[in-house]
Amino acid sequence: MEIAETIVKAREVVRSWRSRGLSIGLVPTMGYLHEGHASLIRRAKEENDQVALSVFVNPTQFAPNEDLAKYPRDFQRDSALCSSLGVGLIFHPEPLEMYPSGFATYVEAPALGLNLCGRSRPTHFRGVLTVVLKLFNILEPTRAYFGLKDAQQFFILKRMVTDLSLDLAVVPCPIIRESDGLALSSRNAYLSESERRAALVLHKALTQAEASVLAGETNSLQVVSAMKKIIAQEPLAKLDYAEVVETKGLTLVNEIVGETLVALAVYIGQTRLIDNFLWKANNK
Ligand code: PAF
Protein backbone atom coordinates (compact mmCIF):
# COMPACT_ATOMS: atom_id res chain seq x y z
CA MET A 1 0.00 0.00 0.00
CA GLU A 2 1.31 3.44 -0.97
CA ILE A 3 0.88 6.50 1.26
CA ALA A 4 1.04 9.87 -0.52
CA GLU A 5 1.22 13.15 1.36
CA THR A 6 1.66 15.26 -1.75
CA ILE A 7 -0.49 15.75 -4.83
CA VAL A 8 2.49 14.96 -7.07
CA LYS A 9 3.05 11.56 -5.40
CA ALA A 10 -0.67 10.68 -5.42
CA ARG A 11 -0.84 11.53 -9.14
CA GLU A 12 2.16 9.33 -9.86
CA VAL A 13 0.40 6.34 -8.29
CA VAL A 14 -3.02 6.85 -9.92
CA ARG A 15 -1.50 7.62 -13.33
CA SER A 16 0.49 4.38 -13.21
CA TRP A 17 -2.79 2.56 -12.54
CA ARG A 18 -4.61 4.49 -15.26
CA SER A 19 -1.85 3.83 -17.81
CA ARG A 20 -2.42 0.11 -17.23
CA GLY A 21 -6.14 0.55 -17.86
CA LEU A 22 -7.09 -0.16 -14.22
CA SER A 23 -10.32 1.21 -12.75
CA ILE A 24 -10.07 3.18 -9.49
CA GLY A 25 -12.58 3.26 -6.64
CA LEU A 26 -12.20 6.30 -4.37
CA VAL A 27 -13.33 6.45 -0.75
CA PRO A 28 -13.03 10.06 0.46
CA THR A 29 -12.86 10.28 4.29
CA MET A 30 -11.82 12.53 7.14
CA GLY A 31 -10.15 9.56 8.83
CA TYR A 32 -10.81 7.95 12.22
CA LEU A 33 -12.19 5.09 10.18
CA HIS A 34 -14.95 2.80 11.39
CA GLU A 35 -17.01 -0.09 10.04
CA GLY A 36 -19.03 2.34 7.88
CA HIS A 37 -15.84 3.33 6.02
CA ALA A 38 -14.80 -0.34 5.88
CA SER A 39 -18.06 -1.14 4.08
CA LEU A 40 -17.29 1.57 1.48
CA ILE A 41 -13.79 0.16 0.99
CA ARG A 42 -15.12 -3.39 0.53
CA ARG A 43 -17.65 -2.20 -2.04
CA ALA A 44 -14.96 -0.18 -3.85
CA LYS A 45 -12.70 -3.27 -3.87
CA GLU A 46 -15.48 -5.41 -5.35
CA GLU A 47 -16.23 -2.98 -8.16
CA ASN A 48 -12.76 -1.67 -9.12
CA ASP A 49 -9.22 -2.88 -9.83
CA GLN A 50 -7.65 -0.51 -7.30
CA VAL A 51 -8.89 1.47 -4.28
CA ALA A 52 -7.67 4.90 -3.22
CA LEU A 53 -8.76 6.38 0.11
CA SER A 54 -8.22 9.94 1.25
CA VAL A 55 -7.76 10.92 4.88
CA PHE A 56 -8.13 14.69 5.17
CA VAL A 57 -9.93 16.66 7.87
CA ASN A 58 -11.07 19.38 5.51
CA PRO A 59 -10.93 22.80 7.21
CA THR A 60 -13.18 24.55 4.67
CA GLN A 61 -16.23 22.48 5.60
CA PHE A 62 -16.04 23.50 9.28
CA ALA A 63 -17.39 26.85 10.52
CA PRO A 64 -15.18 28.71 13.03
CA ASN A 65 -17.36 27.57 15.98
CA GLU A 66 -17.27 23.88 14.95
CA ASP A 67 -15.07 20.92 15.93
CA LEU A 68 -12.18 21.12 13.42
CA ALA A 69 -9.44 21.22 16.09
CA LYS A 70 -10.82 18.37 18.17
CA TYR A 71 -12.04 16.17 15.28
CA PRO A 72 -10.67 12.67 16.16
CA ARG A 73 -7.54 11.57 14.30
CA ASP A 74 -5.58 8.28 14.38
CA PHE A 75 -3.66 7.86 11.15
CA GLN A 76 -1.75 4.76 12.29
CA ARG A 77 -4.92 2.88 13.07
CA ASP A 78 -6.51 4.11 9.80
CA SER A 79 -3.57 2.94 7.70
CA ALA A 80 -3.51 -0.49 9.40
CA LEU A 81 -7.22 -0.93 8.60
CA CYS A 82 -6.72 0.22 4.99
CA SER A 83 -3.81 -2.14 4.52
CA SER A 84 -5.82 -5.08 5.91
CA LEU A 85 -8.68 -4.28 3.52
CA GLY A 86 -6.46 -4.09 0.44
CA VAL A 87 -6.46 -0.32 -0.20
CA GLY A 88 -3.76 0.49 -2.78
CA LEU A 89 -3.21 4.18 -1.95
CA ILE A 90 -3.91 6.45 0.99
CA PHE A 91 -3.80 10.14 0.14
CA HIS A 92 -3.08 12.01 3.39
CA PRO A 93 -2.23 15.63 2.63
CA GLU A 94 -1.57 18.48 5.08
CA PRO A 95 -4.02 21.41 4.87
CA LEU A 96 -1.39 23.57 3.11
CA GLU A 97 -0.99 20.94 0.37
CA MET A 98 -4.72 21.23 -0.42
CA TYR A 99 -5.09 24.94 0.32
CA PRO A 100 -1.76 26.64 -0.38
CA SER A 101 -1.34 30.33 0.33
CA GLY A 102 -3.39 32.31 -2.20
CA PHE A 103 -6.08 29.62 -2.57
CA ALA A 104 -9.23 31.48 -3.63
CA THR A 105 -11.53 29.33 -5.78
CA TYR A 106 -14.54 27.50 -4.32
CA VAL A 107 -17.44 25.45 -5.68
CA GLU A 108 -20.70 27.12 -4.57
CA ALA A 109 -23.35 24.80 -3.17
CA PRO A 110 -26.54 24.56 -5.26
CA ALA A 111 -30.04 25.13 -3.82
CA LEU A 112 -29.98 21.51 -2.63
CA GLY A 113 -27.76 22.85 0.14
CA LEU A 114 -30.36 25.23 1.58
CA ASN A 115 -32.41 22.91 3.83
CA LEU A 116 -31.39 20.20 6.33
CA CYS A 117 -27.72 20.55 7.35
CA GLY A 118 -27.24 23.52 5.01
CA ARG A 119 -29.53 25.65 7.16
CA SER A 120 -27.51 25.20 10.36
CA ARG A 121 -24.13 24.88 8.57
CA PRO A 122 -24.43 27.47 5.76
CA THR A 123 -20.80 27.24 4.57
CA HIS A 124 -20.44 23.47 4.98
CA PHE A 125 -21.34 22.18 1.51
CA ARG A 126 -19.21 24.77 -0.28
CA GLY A 127 -16.25 23.30 1.61
CA VAL A 128 -17.32 19.71 0.88
CA LEU A 129 -17.82 20.35 -2.86
CA THR A 130 -14.54 22.21 -3.16
CA VAL A 131 -12.46 19.52 -1.48
CA VAL A 132 -14.24 16.62 -3.20
CA LEU A 133 -13.77 18.22 -6.63
CA LYS A 134 -10.06 18.59 -5.81
CA LEU A 135 -9.90 14.94 -4.71
CA PHE A 136 -11.62 13.87 -7.93
CA ASN A 137 -9.11 15.90 -9.98
CA ILE A 138 -6.11 14.53 -8.08
CA LEU A 139 -7.16 10.88 -7.78
CA GLU A 140 -9.08 10.48 -11.07
CA PRO A 141 -11.50 7.84 -9.78
CA THR A 142 -13.74 5.72 -11.97
CA ARG A 143 -16.23 5.52 -9.08
CA ALA A 144 -16.45 7.33 -5.74
CA TYR A 145 -18.23 5.88 -2.70
CA PHE A 146 -20.28 7.85 -0.14
CA GLY A 147 -22.35 6.70 2.83
CA LEU A 148 -26.01 7.66 2.96
CA LYS A 149 -25.83 8.81 6.58
CA ASP A 150 -24.76 12.05 4.89
CA ALA A 151 -27.60 11.78 2.39
CA GLN A 152 -27.73 15.50 1.61
CA GLN A 153 -23.99 15.43 0.90
CA PHE A 154 -24.51 12.52 -1.51
CA PHE A 155 -27.32 14.27 -3.44
CA ILE A 156 -25.34 17.51 -3.69
CA LEU A 157 -22.21 15.70 -4.89
CA LYS A 158 -24.25 13.82 -7.47
CA ARG A 159 -25.59 17.18 -8.70
CA MET A 160 -22.03 18.53 -8.98
CA VAL A 161 -20.88 15.50 -10.96
CA THR A 162 -23.76 15.98 -13.42
CA ASP A 163 -23.56 19.78 -13.61
CA LEU A 164 -19.78 19.92 -14.09
CA SER A 165 -19.73 16.93 -16.51
CA LEU A 166 -17.32 14.96 -14.35
CA ASP A 167 -16.40 11.61 -15.80
CA LEU A 168 -17.07 9.32 -12.84
CA ALA A 169 -19.91 7.61 -11.00
CA VAL A 170 -20.87 8.48 -7.43
CA VAL A 171 -22.10 5.39 -5.61
CA PRO A 172 -24.47 5.68 -2.62
CA CYS A 173 -23.86 3.11 0.13
CA PRO A 174 -26.19 2.11 2.98
CA ILE A 175 -25.91 3.50 6.51
CA ILE A 176 -24.02 1.09 8.79
CA ARG A 177 -25.32 0.87 12.37
CA GLU A 178 -24.25 -0.54 15.73
CA SER A 179 -26.35 -3.54 16.82
CA ASP A 180 -28.59 -1.20 18.85
CA GLY A 181 -29.27 1.04 15.85
CA LEU A 182 -26.87 3.96 16.38
CA ALA A 183 -25.55 5.07 12.98
CA LEU A 184 -21.75 4.82 12.84
CA SER A 185 -19.96 8.15 12.85
CA SER A 186 -16.44 9.25 13.76
CA ARG A 187 -18.15 11.81 16.02
CA ASN A 188 -19.63 9.01 18.18
CA ALA A 189 -16.16 8.99 19.79
CA TYR A 190 -17.11 12.26 21.54
CA LEU A 191 -20.01 10.67 23.43
CA SER A 192 -19.83 9.82 27.14
CA GLU A 193 -21.53 6.62 28.29
CA SER A 194 -24.77 8.38 29.16
CA GLU A 195 -24.67 10.39 25.92
CA ARG A 196 -24.09 7.18 23.97
CA ARG A 197 -27.33 5.80 25.46
CA ALA A 198 -29.15 9.09 24.79
CA ALA A 199 -27.96 9.07 21.16
CA LEU A 200 -30.26 6.13 20.47
CA VAL A 201 -33.11 8.62 20.41
CA LEU A 202 -32.30 9.48 16.77
CA HIS A 203 -32.80 5.90 15.64
CA LYS A 204 -35.88 5.56 17.84
CA ALA A 205 -37.51 8.66 16.32
CA LEU A 206 -36.67 7.59 12.77
CA THR A 207 -37.79 3.97 13.13
CA GLN A 208 -41.12 5.09 14.60
CA ALA A 209 -41.48 7.63 11.81
CA GLU A 210 -40.71 4.99 9.19
CA ALA A 211 -43.23 2.60 10.76
CA SER A 212 -45.93 5.28 10.67
CA VAL A 213 -45.22 6.02 6.98
CA LEU A 214 -45.26 2.30 6.25
CA ALA A 215 -48.65 2.14 7.98
CA GLY A 216 -49.97 4.80 5.60
CA GLU A 217 -49.12 8.18 7.17
CA THR A 218 -48.31 10.62 4.34
CA ASN A 219 -48.50 13.93 6.21
CA SER A 220 -44.97 15.28 6.80
CA LEU A 221 -46.10 17.60 9.60
CA GLN A 222 -47.47 14.65 11.56
CA VAL A 223 -44.29 12.66 11.00
CA VAL A 224 -42.06 15.57 12.01
CA SER A 225 -44.09 16.40 15.10
CA ALA A 226 -44.05 12.75 16.27
CA MET A 227 -40.24 12.70 15.85
CA LYS A 228 -39.90 15.99 17.75
CA LYS A 229 -41.95 14.58 20.66
CA ILE A 230 -39.64 11.56 20.92
CA ILE A 231 -36.50 13.74 20.83
CA ALA A 232 -37.99 16.08 23.47
CA GLN A 233 -38.37 13.14 25.88
CA GLU A 234 -34.58 12.63 26.00
CA PRO A 235 -33.06 15.14 28.46
CA LEU A 236 -29.57 15.08 26.87
CA ALA A 237 -30.93 15.72 23.37
CA LYS A 238 -31.55 19.07 21.70
CA LEU A 239 -33.10 19.08 18.24
CA ASP A 240 -31.28 20.91 15.44
CA TYR A 241 -33.75 19.92 12.73
CA ALA A 242 -36.30 17.28 11.74
CA GLU A 243 -37.23 17.68 8.08
CA VAL A 244 -38.93 15.85 5.24
CA VAL A 245 -37.71 16.65 1.70
CA GLU A 246 -38.06 15.22 -1.79
CA THR A 247 -34.79 13.87 -3.20
CA LYS A 248 -34.53 15.79 -6.51
CA GLY A 249 -34.15 19.33 -5.17
CA LEU A 250 -34.18 18.59 -1.42
CA THR A 251 -37.12 20.97 -0.96
CA LEU A 252 -39.49 20.55 1.99
CA VAL A 253 -42.63 18.57 1.19
CA ASN A 254 -46.01 18.39 2.93
CA GLU A 255 -46.83 14.98 1.57
CA ILE A 256 -44.71 11.85 1.57
CA VAL A 257 -45.08 10.53 -1.96
CA GLY A 258 -42.35 9.32 -4.31
CA GLU A 259 -38.76 9.28 -3.09
CA THR A 260 -38.53 11.20 0.16
CA LEU A 261 -35.78 11.80 2.70
CA VAL A 262 -36.75 12.00 6.37
CA ALA A 263 -33.76 13.42 8.24
CA LEU A 264 -32.74 14.50 11.71
CA ALA A 265 -29.88 16.42 13.30
CA VAL A 266 -29.75 16.34 17.09
CA TYR A 267 -27.25 17.64 19.62
CA ILE A 268 -26.43 15.04 22.26
CA GLY A 269 -24.62 17.22 24.78
CA GLN A 270 -22.12 19.15 22.60
CA THR A 271 -22.07 16.52 19.84
CA ARG A 272 -24.18 17.05 16.75
CA LEU A 273 -25.36 13.76 15.20
CA ILE A 274 -27.31 13.17 12.00
CA ASP A 275 -29.36 10.24 10.74
CA ASN A 276 -32.14 9.64 8.22
CA PHE A 277 -34.20 7.20 6.24
CA LEU A 278 -34.98 7.24 2.55
CA TRP A 279 -38.55 6.49 1.66
CA LYS A 280 -39.46 5.15 -1.76
CA ALA A 281 -43.13 4.76 -2.62
CA ASN A 282 -42.57 1.14 -3.64
CA ASN A 283 -41.24 0.37 -0.10
CA LYS A 284 -44.89 -0.17 0.76
O1 PAF B 1 -18.19 12.68 4.46
C1 PAF B 1 -17.03 13.06 4.77
O2 PAF B 1 -16.31 12.41 5.52
C2 PAF B 1 -16.52 14.37 4.21
O3 PAF B 1 -17.52 15.32 4.11
C3 PAF B 1 -15.78 14.20 2.87
C4 PAF B 1 -16.72 13.70 1.78
C5 PAF B 1 -14.62 13.25 3.04
C6 PAF B 1 -15.23 15.56 2.40
O4 PAF B 1 -14.32 16.08 3.29
Side-chain angles (χ1 to χ4, degrees):
M1 183 179 74
E2 302 268 7
I3 296 178
E5 292 186 347
T6 64
I7 295 170
V8 168
K9 168 89 192 282
R11 282 209 163 113
E12 243 172 62
V13 177
V14 295
R15 297 229 164 127
S16 80
W17 291 342
R18 282 269 181 191
S19 68
R20 286 183 278 147
L22 303 180
S23 60
I24 302 171
L26 171 65
V27 181
T29 83
M30 298 208 298
Y32 213 71
L33 305 180
H34 49 65
E35 193 46 40
H37 298 111
S39 74
L40 305 182
I41 298 171
R42 287 191 198 101
R43 174 94 182 260
K45 275 285 292 175
E46 271 167 34
E47 298 179 354
N48 301 276
D49 300 315
Q50 285 286 357
V51 175
L53 178 137
S54 58
V55 172
F56 180 61
V57 183
N58 173 36
T60 63
Q61 68 190 74
F62 290 80
N65 60 329
E66 292 180 350
D67 57 342
L68 171 63
K70 71 166 191 172
Y71 195 85
R73 292 159 167 92
D74 188 343
F75 186 67
Q76 278 201 346
R77 205 191 62 178
D78 290 348
S79 42
L81 178 72
C82 286
S83 162
S84 74
L85 292 172
V87 169
L89 166 69
I90 303 185
F91 179 48
H92 182 222
E94 289 294 327
L96 268 177
E97 179 72 7
M98 294 296 272
Y99 301 109
S101 143
F103 183 92
T105 306
Y106 291 85
V107 182
E108 284 305 331
L112 285 88
L114 292 176
N115 291 317
L116 307 165
C117 291
R119 200 193 306 281
S120 34
R121 306 184 74 191
T123 57
H124 174 67
F125 289 114
R126 174 190 202 244
V128 170
L129 290 171
T130 303
V131 81
V132 171
L133 182 59
K134 281 179 70 85
L135 293 170
F136 287 170
N137 285 333
I138 296 163
L139 299 166
E140 300 181 27
T142 318
R143 299 176 190 85
Y145 294 81
F146 297 92
L148 280 175
K149 183 173 71 63
D150 300 290
Q152 185 177 24
Q153 168 173 279
F154 171 76
F155 287 114
I156 293 179
L157 287 169
K158 200 169 142 203
R159 186 78 255 160
M160 175 180 78
V161 166
T162 304
D163 290 351
L164 302 186
S165 310
L166 305 182
D167 187 16
L168 75 145
V170 281
V171 183
C173 299
I175 300 175
I176 304 297
R177 299 178 180 281
E178 303 275 10
S179 55
D180 60 6
L182 181 67
L184 294 191
S185 162
S186 303
R187 289 189 168 96
N188 292 349
Y190 297 146
L191 301 171
S192 69
E193 242 176 74
S194 55
E195 289 172 343
R196 169 67 184 74
R197 280 193 298 276
L200 289 176
V201 75
L202 282 90
H203 186 239
K204 185 176 172 193
L206 286 164
T207 44
Q208 295 198 15
E210 192 167 12
S212 75
V213 179
L214 194 57
E217 180 60 80
T218 57
N219 185 315
S220 305
L221 280 179
Q222 294 292 343
V223 171
V224 165
S225 98
M227 288 198 297
K228 284 184 175 169
K229 262 189 208 143
I230 293 170
I231 305 290
Q233 280 160 14
E234 171 48 65
L236 295 180
K238 188 170 155 278
L239 185 75
D240 179 10
Y241 69 75
E243 288 179 2
V244 179
V245 297
E246 45 74 35
T247 60
K248 285 208 170 62
L250 302 186
T251 59
L252 300 173
V253 290
N254 295 326
E255 248 209 300
I256 301 178
V257 285
E259 194 177 75
T260 308
L261 177 69
V262 179
L264 278 179
V266 178
Y267 284 93
I268 303 293
Q270 300 294 308
T271 305
R272 183 176 175 280
L273 299 177
I274 58 174
D275 200 349
N276 68 74
F277 73 89
L278 255 182
W279 175 260
K280 297 192 178 127
N282 59 8
N283 278 0
K284 270 190 180 176

Tab-separated table of all heavy atoms in Angstrom, residues 28-30 37 56 58 61 124 128 131-132 146 150 153 157, ligand 1:
chain	number	residue	atom	x	y	z
A	28	PRO	N	-13.497	8.838	-0.205
A	28	PRO	CA	-13.029	10.058	0.464
A	28	PRO	C	-13.449	10.027	1.939
A	28	PRO	O	-14.608	9.732	2.237
A	28	PRO	CB	-13.772	11.196	-0.262
A	28	PRO	CG	-14.418	10.568	-1.460
A	28	PRO	CD	-14.620	9.129	-1.100
A	29	THR	N	-12.517	10.295	2.859
A	29	THR	CA	-12.858	10.281	4.289
A	29	THR	C	-12.126	11.403	5.017
A	29	THR	O	-11.187	11.994	4.488
A	29	THR	CB	-12.451	8.947	4.989
A	29	THR	OG1	-11.047	9.008	5.350
A	29	THR	CG2	-12.707	7.730	4.129
A	30	MET	N	-12.572	11.630	6.255
A	30	MET	CA	-11.822	12.531	7.137
A	30	MET	C	-11.077	11.704	8.194
A	30	MET	O	-10.664	12.230	9.221
A	30	MET	CB	-12.764	13.545	7.780
A	30	MET	CG	-13.446	14.428	6.723
A	30	MET	SD	-13.913	16.054	7.295
A	30	MET	CE	-15.076	15.638	8.558
A	37	HIS	N	-16.862	3.127	7.061
A	37	HIS	CA	-15.843	3.332	6.022
A	37	HIS	C	-15.396	1.985	5.444
A	37	HIS	O	-15.188	1.852	4.236
A	37	HIS	CB	-14.623	4.050	6.598
A	37	HIS	CG	-14.908	5.414	7.140
A	37	HIS	ND1	-14.866	5.707	8.484
A	37	HIS	CD2	-15.266	6.565	6.514
A	37	HIS	CE1	-15.155	6.976	8.672
A	37	HIS	NE2	-15.408	7.528	7.492
A	56	PHE	N	-8.407	13.244	5.106
A	56	PHE	CA	-8.131	14.688	5.170
A	56	PHE	C	-9.260	15.363	5.929
A	56	PHE	O	-10.414	15.341	5.488
A	56	PHE	CB	-8.022	15.269	3.742
A	56	PHE	CG	-7.733	16.748	3.728
A	56	PHE	CD1	-6.555	17.255	4.293
A	56	PHE	CD2	-8.626	17.651	3.151
A	56	PHE	CE1	-6.289	18.625	4.289
A	56	PHE	CE2	-8.360	19.018	3.132
A	56	PHE	CZ	-7.188	19.500	3.705
A	58	ASN	N	-11.016	18.244	6.430
A	58	ASN	CA	-11.071	19.383	5.507
A	58	ASN	C	-11.502	20.670	6.216
A	58	ASN	O	-12.683	20.829	6.540
A	58	ASN	CB	-12.069	19.038	4.391
A	58	ASN	CG	-12.332	20.220	3.488
A	58	ASN	OD1	-11.418	21.003	3.217
A	58	ASN	ND2	-13.574	20.359	3.035
A	61	GLN	N	-14.835	22.885	5.368
A	61	GLN	CA	-16.227	22.479	5.604
A	61	GLN	C	-16.641	22.659	7.068
A	61	GLN	O	-17.741	22.296	7.448
A	61	GLN	CB	-16.485	21.052	5.116
A	61	GLN	CG	-15.787	19.949	5.877
A	61	GLN	CD	-15.919	18.603	5.163
A	61	GLN	OE1	-15.271	18.365	4.152
A	61	GLN	NE2	-16.750	17.714	5.678
A	124	HIS	N	-20.947	24.842	4.965
A	124	HIS	CA	-20.439	23.469	4.982
A	124	HIS	C	-20.309	22.854	3.580
A	124	HIS	O	-19.248	22.344	3.195
A	124	HIS	CB	-21.383	22.622	5.851
A	124	HIS	CG	-21.076	21.166	5.848
A	124	HIS	ND1	-19.927	20.649	6.410
A	124	HIS	CD2	-21.759	20.095	5.357
A	124	HIS	CE1	-19.925	19.335	6.260
A	124	HIS	NE2	-21.008	18.968	5.622
A	128	VAL	N	-17.294	21.124	1.301
A	128	VAL	CA	-17.316	19.713	0.877
A	128	VAL	C	-17.128	19.632	-0.636
A	128	VAL	O	-16.301	18.865	-1.141
A	128	VAL	CB	-18.643	19.030	1.294
A	128	VAL	CG1	-18.764	17.655	0.652
A	128	VAL	CG2	-18.759	18.925	2.814
A	131	VAL	N	-13.496	20.519	-1.740
A	131	VAL	CA	-12.458	19.517	-1.482
A	131	VAL	C	-12.705	18.251	-2.296
A	131	VAL	O	-11.761	17.633	-2.806
A	131	VAL	CB	-12.332	19.211	0.029
A	131	VAL	CG1	-13.394	18.232	0.526
A	131	VAL	CG2	-10.949	18.658	0.340
A	132	VAL	N	-13.979	17.865	-2.461
A	132	VAL	CA	-14.241	16.623	-3.198
A	132	VAL	C	-13.895	16.816	-4.680
A	132	VAL	O	-13.331	15.915	-5.310
A	132	VAL	CB	-15.695	16.140	-2.975
A	132	VAL	CG1	-16.028	14.984	-3.904
A	132	VAL	CG2	-15.896	15.709	-1.520
A	146	PHE	N	-19.844	6.986	-1.239
A	146	PHE	CA	-20.276	7.855	-0.142
A	146	PHE	C	-21.391	7.173	0.650
A	146	PHE	O	-22.305	6.576	0.061
A	146	PHE	CB	-20.792	9.190	-0.687
A	146	PHE	CG	-19.735	9.981	-1.408
A	146	PHE	CD1	-19.567	9.847	-2.785
A	146	PHE	CD2	-18.879	10.833	-0.716
A	146	PHE	CE1	-18.571	10.554	-3.454
A	146	PHE	CE2	-17.885	11.542	-1.378
A	146	PHE	CZ	-17.737	11.402	-2.753
A	150	ASP	N	-24.837	10.675	5.387
A	150	ASP	CA	-24.757	12.049	4.890
A	150	ASP	C	-25.519	12.125	3.570
A	150	ASP	O	-24.936	12.385	2.515
A	150	ASP	CB	-23.301	12.440	4.691
A	150	ASP	CG	-22.516	12.360	5.987
A	150	ASP	OD1	-22.754	13.189	6.866
A	150	ASP	OD2	-21.684	11.437	6.133
A	153	GLN	N	-25.305	15.342	1.541
A	153	GLN	CA	-23.986	15.430	0.901
A	153	GLN	C	-23.966	14.599	-0.390
A	153	GLN	O	-23.495	15.059	-1.437
A	153	GLN	CB	-22.919	14.929	1.872
A	153	GLN	CG	-21.562	14.706	1.254
A	153	GLN	CD	-20.496	14.369	2.276
A	153	GLN	OE1	-19.963	15.253	2.912
A	153	GLN	NE2	-20.147	13.103	2.432
A	157	LEU	N	-23.376	16.129	-4.106
A	157	LEU	CA	-22.209	15.700	-4.893
A	157	LEU	C	-22.632	15.133	-6.239
A	157	LEU	O	-21.992	15.364	-7.269
A	157	LEU	CB	-21.396	14.667	-4.108
A	157	LEU	CG	-20.590	15.240	-2.940
A	157	LEU	CD1	-20.039	14.122	-2.049
A	157	LEU	CD2	-19.435	16.099	-3.462
B	1	PAF	O1	-18.193	12.684	4.461
B	1	PAF	C1	-17.029	13.058	4.765
B	1	PAF	O2	-16.306	12.405	5.518
B	1	PAF	C2	-16.517	14.371	4.211
B	1	PAF	O3	-17.523	15.322	4.106
B	1	PAF	C3	-15.781	14.204	2.868
B	1	PAF	C4	-16.723	13.702	1.781
B	1	PAF	C5	-14.621	13.249	3.035
B	1	PAF	C6	-15.226	15.556	2.397
B	1	PAF	O4	-14.324	16.083	3.292
